[in-house]
Amino acid sequence: IPLSSIMVVLIIMGVCGSGKTSVGKMLSDKLHWPFEDGDRWHSKENVMKMSNGLPLTDEDRIPWLQKLHTIISQWVNNNINGILACSALKQRYREILVGETGYRMRSQGHCVLILLHGPLELISSRMKERKDHFMPDSLLQSQIDTMEIPTHKETYIECDLLKSINEIVEDVTEKLKEFL
């Protein structure tokens, strides 16, 4: 996709095991935009809590979301397109991520949510196959219970996990042309 004068920040969102990091990395490679995996910004306490099968509370998540907001703000302030993988389960969390600028960032850009969703069985099987992640599959149901689907007030692209990662990336890049 040729870069234009419109700046875009993508937030790849969904429950654990939905493929946020895989999709984000592939989009980053295709678009040549920087990628940040939100998981690497969790505090040691949050990682330990999740590793022990305990879901995070809103209070646990706020400092983490504020760190991720700082990354987005740096991209916006430097007019850099970027991609962030983050569960962004609740509308309140997404409001922290995008901050005061909202989904229409000033006059020069957009923040677009990429919602990855699919059958519980598929996501659960993916989680069981992961070897190097702190999030146990026992927390999947709590994330599904917490998830708030974006509303019409939020700019988002919905992606079905029954498609391959390549197909999802192609769909996203096609739909992104509406914003560039």
Side-chain angles (χ1 to χ4, degrees):
I1 289 178
L3 298 180
S4 69
S5 59
I6 300 295
M7 202 217 102
V8 178
V9 172
L10 303 178
I11 300 175
I12 314 296
M13 64 172 287
V15 297
C16 52
S18 60
K20 297 179 295 289
T21 300
S22 298
V23 170
K25 285 179 178 178
M26 190 173 278
L27 277 167
S28 175
D29 289 344
K30 182 175 181 83
L31 300 173
H32 305 289
W33 295 358
F35 170 74
E36 279 292 338
D37 189 342
D39 280 348
R40 82 179 192 95
W41 295 93
H42 274 295
S43 68
K44 289 179 184 171
E45 295 79 16
N46 282 3
V47 170
M48 248 168 52
K49 191 172 184 177
M50 289 183 283
S51 296
N52 290 322
L54 300 171
L56 297 180
T57 64
D58 286 355
E59 292 72 31
D60 295 326
R61 286 186 175 100
I62 301 300
W64 170 66
L65 293 165
Q66 290 169 333
K67 288 177 194 174
L68 300 179
H69 168 74
T70 300
I71 293 167
I72 291 171
S73 294
Q74 289 171 345
W75 286 336
V76 171
N77 292 335
N78 292 297
N79 204 32
I80 296 171
N81 296 319
I83 302 167
L84 173 70
C86 172
S87 53
L89 298 172
K90 292 184 180 181
Q91 183 174 4
R92 176 177 173 221
Y93 303 164
R94 298 187 293 268
E95 288 170 355
I96 293 169
L97 290 172
V98 300
E100 295 174 7
T101 56
Y103 292 92
R104 181 106 175 108
M105 299 177 297
R106 302 185 194 144
S107 60
Q108 82 269 23
H110 296 273
C111 186
V112 180
L113 301 171
I114 309 299
L115 171 62
L116 304 177
H117 68 89
L120 171 66
E121 301 76 26
L122 173 64
I123 298 169
S124 180
S125 70
R126 287 180 175 185
M127 289 190 71
K128 288 176 181 158
E129 292 173 9
R130 297 195 304 189
K131 304 287 184 241
D132 59 347
H133 201 279
F134 58 82
M135 178 77 88
D137 68 323
S138 62
L139 288 179
L140 176 57
Q141 190 60 53
S142 74
Q143 289 217 327
I144 290 170
D145 294 344
T146 302
M147 173 62 85
E148 296 173 1
I149 302 301
T151 68
H152 67 280
K153 295 178 182 176
E154 299 171 284
T155 303
Y156 72 101
I157 296 170
E158 207 166 337
C159 300
D160 189 338
L161 294 178
L162 292 175
K163 293 185 175 184
S164 71
I165 292 176
N166 285 333
E167 290 173 309
I168 290 171
V169 168
E170 286 305 314
D171 287 352
V172 169
T173 52
E174 274 305 304
K175 292 175 183 173
L176 267 181
K177 291 176 183 175
E178 298 171 23
F179 303 102
L180 297 175

